Amino acid sequence: MNIKSIRRGFTVVELLALVGVIGVGASVASVSMGLGSIRTNTPATASPSTPSQPEDATDKKIEAIRKQLDTMRKQIDGIESELDGLQAQNEKPAGLLSALGKARASARQLKDATQVRGIQQSFIIWANQNQGQYPLPSKVDKAGETVAGDAAAKDTTANIFSMLVYNGYVSPEICISPAEANPNIKVCDNYEFDQPKTAVKPAMALWDPAFSADFANGKTGNVSYGHIQPFGGRTKLWADTFNAAEPVIGNRGPQIQSVTRNPQGSLVLKSQIPDSITYLIHGDRESWQGNLAYNDGHVAFETTLVGDIDNGWPAYVNKEDKRTPDVFFFDEQDAKEPSTNIYIGIFTKSGKALEDWTAIWD
């Protein structure tokens, strides 16, 4: 099945207009505000040393962001409750039911966007303290006191997010999208913030190793979001680069089986899983839509898996020295420099070589 693009969801302005039309009392004006720039450094060029822990000023920034996220989520939860009340009324004209459904989906989309941006901002806070580099467990746990084994094998999605949770950058709840469609992805409600038992040396642990991102084969994962693979040339993108064309984290996408070019010159994508659960997060059963945070700090609600580079869609350079639209959830093998293209996923294994990495899909 070819993957198609459909119209995007509501913008914040459209949601406000719809809420006003149907008479919901709550206001989401402040939801679209806040979480402004928190950068204090310039993009780094030097290799990072062992990451430092948050300082007092950083702690205050983290707490401020968490309070803003909590406020935003509560405001949107209030709107959803009022929408539920309206839908429970005895007489529900068809037009109102349709408006309610769209408003509810837009509320989830907006809440999800605040969480995606909150996670990306936590990356920036970490980078401010660590030479511009986003969090990498391999740089922190060099002594193997949290997880034994080769350092490169520690840069998995679970360890990255767990490190953020353990240090107070985000809560376990923020790691789960309000639009999550996979029942095997749930909030980790037993996260160990102090001396986690599964660590090699619990008293010296830097994250809880029991936190999981693996939802495959019936297992329970604790992370909804995919991120760029921090490997090879892509490690340059795993940093506070300020680049508006570099998506770094957001709603995970479907597994792409192949990317070909039709006679008209357009790229044609084929999904490995035709009925991917990721289509249901924000889209319908045949198309993907999702929130993606970029390295300049903005979040965009994308409605296509590949776009037009003449209109600003990110591109990579292929082996023929041609700029080619980048499919974010696919590792194009024709890149002139391997592992420099965008590749976003949930990674349950990592390592020194590309073949050591494992991405999971649904």
Side-chain angles (χ1 to χ4, degrees):
M1 179 186 66
N2 291 338
I3 301 171
K4 63 180 180 179
S5 169
I6 64 173
R7 184 188 181 277
R8 61 164 176 76
F10 282 20
T11 64
V12 174
V13 173
E14 289 171 334
L15 176 58
L16 286 169
L18 178 58
V19 170
V21 167
I22 63 178
V24 176
S27 170
V28 295
S30 62
V31 174
S32 62
M33 307 297 288
L35 292 183
S37 176
I38 54 174
R39 293 185 174 90
T40 60
N41 67 323
T42 55
T45 55
S47 299
S49 58
T50 300
S52 59
Q53 298 303 308
E55 299 176 353
D56 290 344
T58 302
D59 288 339
K60 292 179 181 179
K61 291 176 183 177
I62 294 171
E63 183 61 26
I65 286 178
R66 292 191 66 172
K67 287 181 178 179
Q68 288 179 342
L69 285 172
D70 288 341
T71 298
M72 291 175 183
R73 293 176 69 198
K74 289 177 181 177
Q75 287 177 317
I76 300 174
D77 286 342
I79 292 172
E80 289 183 313
S81 294
E82 294 200 42
L83 291 172
D84 289 339
L86 285 172
Q87 189 164 358
Q89 293 175 0
N90 292 328
E91 295 184 5
K92 298 181 284 291
L96 177 59
L97 284 177
S98 177
L100 287 171
K102 291 178 180 179
R104 185 174 288 107
S106 296
R108 287 195 299 268
Q109 176 191 323
L110 180 57
K111 186 193 296 186
D112 185 64
T114 65
Q115 293 187 188
V116 170
R117 191 175 186 208
I119 296 169
Q120 199 271 344
Q121 293 285 356
S122 74
F123 285 177
I124 294 175
I125 294 174
W126 184 279
N128 284 340
Q129 303 297 317
N130 296 287
Q131 294 78 45
Q133 185 80 56
Y134 289 157
L136 279 177
S138 61
K139 301 294 184 181
V140 173
D141 192 35
K142 293 181 178 180
E145 295 175 327
T146 305
V147 176
D150 183 76
K154 302 176 184 182
D155 292 334
T156 62
T157 299
N159 289 341
I160 290 170
F161 276 81
S162 187
M163 193 161 62
L164 292 175
V165 172
Y166 197 78
N167 287 280
Y169 286 78
V170 298
S171 67
E173 292 77 14
I174 295 297
C175 299
I176 303 296
S177 169
E180 181 54 62
N182 190 330
N184 291 329
I185 300 178
K186 303 176 181 178
V187 174
C188 180
D189 55 8
N190 58 351
Y191 191 92
E192 294 188 307
F193 289 91
D194 182 45
Q195 300 190 32
K197 293 185 292 293
T198 55
V200 174
K201 295 182 179 180
M204 303 300 292
L206 298 170
W207 68 84
D208 181 1
F211 186 82
S212 176
D214 191 354
F215 54 78
N217 300 317
K219 295 189 287 290
T220 299
N222 307 130
V223 179
S224 289
Y225 302 109
H227 58 85
I228 195 168
Q229 182 189 39
F231 171 79
R234 284 187 279 268
T235 56
K236 295 179 181 178
L237 312 182
W238 191 251
D240 191 11
T241 65
F242 297 75
N243 193 325
E246 294 172 358
V248 66
I249 188 169
N251 295 124
R252 67 189 184 281
Q255 183 177 12
I256 306 301
Q257 183 180 56
S258 63
V259 177
T260 57
R261 194 176 294 276
N262 62 22
Q264 292 73 38
S266 300
L267 294 182
V268 178
L269 279 59
K270 184 177 182 180
S271 175
Q272 180 74 27
I273 308 173
D275 56 348
S276 173
I277 292 176
T278 63
Y279 298 152
L280 301 179
I281 295 175
H282 291 296
D284 59 18
R285 292 187 178 275
E286 294 186 344
S287 63
W288 178 86
Q289 299 181 78
N291 291 302
L292 290 175
Y294 289 72
N295 264 338
D296 68 334
H298 85 277
V299 174
F301 186 64
E302 306 292 0
T303 59
T304 181
L305 289 166
V306 62
D308 186 355
I309 59 177
D310 291 334
N311 291 323
W313 189 266
Y316 69 97
V317 178
N318 66 17
K319 293 178 181 178
E320 298 177 352
D321 281 329
K322 294 181 179 180
R323 295 180 69 247
T324 306
D326 207 333
V327 180
F328 299 153
F329 307 110
F330 184 69
D331 188 7
E332 290 92 347
Q333 297 302 300
D334 65 338
K336 183 177 182 179
E337 297 182 34
S339 299
T340 55
N341 56 306
I342 303 295
Y343 183 38
I344 292 175
I346 290 180
F347 301 94
T348 55
K349 291 183 180 180
S350 64
K352 294 180 180 179
L354 184 61
E355 56 266 27
D356 296 330
W357 289 73
T358 297
I360 57 173
W361 313 90
D362 58 346

